[in-house]
C-alpha cells in the first residue's frame, strides 16, 4: 500500500504542477522520500515543491504502469 500511495502522489504532483512547481498538500513521508531520492526540492517553508525532468520522467513511467496516460502533461 505504501508504494501505491507514493506512486499516486507522484502522479498527482505531476498533474497539478504549474511548470516546475507544485503546491505541497501531500503526505510528508512521501515528500521526504522523494527529496532523499533527489526527485524534488522543497522551499524552506515546505509550501512549494520544485520538480525537474527526472521527476517528470518518473511520473510518466508510473502513469504508464497504471495505464493513466494524460495527453496534456506527457
Amino acid at each position: 500500500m505504501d508504494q501505491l500511495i507514493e506512486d499516486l502522489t507522484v502522479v498527482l504532483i505531476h498533474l497539478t504542477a504549474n511548470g516546475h512547481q507544485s503546491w505541497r498538500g501531500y503526505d510528508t513521508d512521501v515528500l521526504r522520500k522523494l527529496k532523499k531520492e533527489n526527485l524534488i526540492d522543497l522551499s524552506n517553508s515546505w509550501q512549494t515543491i520544485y520538480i525537474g525532468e527526472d521527476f517528470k520522467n518518473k511520473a510518466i513511467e508510473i502513469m504508464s504502469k497504471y495505464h493513466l496516460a494524460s495527453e496534456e502533461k506527457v
Side-chain angles (χ1 to χ4, degrees):
M1 183 62 126
D2 288 343
Q3 187 61 51
L4 178 61
I5 291 170
E6 181 181 331
D7 287 350
L8 294 178
T9 300
V10 168
V11 170
L12 284 172
I13 292 170
H14 173 68
L15 291 176
T16 61
N18 181 11
H20 292 285
Q21 296 182 10
S22 182
W23 179 251
R24 183 219 71 92
Y26 303 98
D27 184 273
T28 54
D29 290 335
V30 173
L31 294 178
R32 282 187 185 105
K33 184 174 182 197
L34 294 171
K35 182 168 174 52
K36 187 176 180 180
E37 294 173 3
N38 293 316
L39 291 172
I40 64 169
D41 199 8
L42 300 164
S43 65
N44 290 340
S45 64
W46 280 55
Q47 294 302 309
T48 304
I49 301 167
Y50 300 101
I51 59 177
E53 286 302 311
D54 289 343
F55 181 87
K56 180 181 176 181
N57 292 337
K58 180 176 177 89
I60 291 169
E61 177 184 310
I62 291 169
M63 291 172 69
S64 177
K65 172 181 170 182
Y66 292 104
H67 308 288
L68 301 171
S70 169
E71 292 296 323
E72 293 96 34
K73 289 288 186 171
V74 173

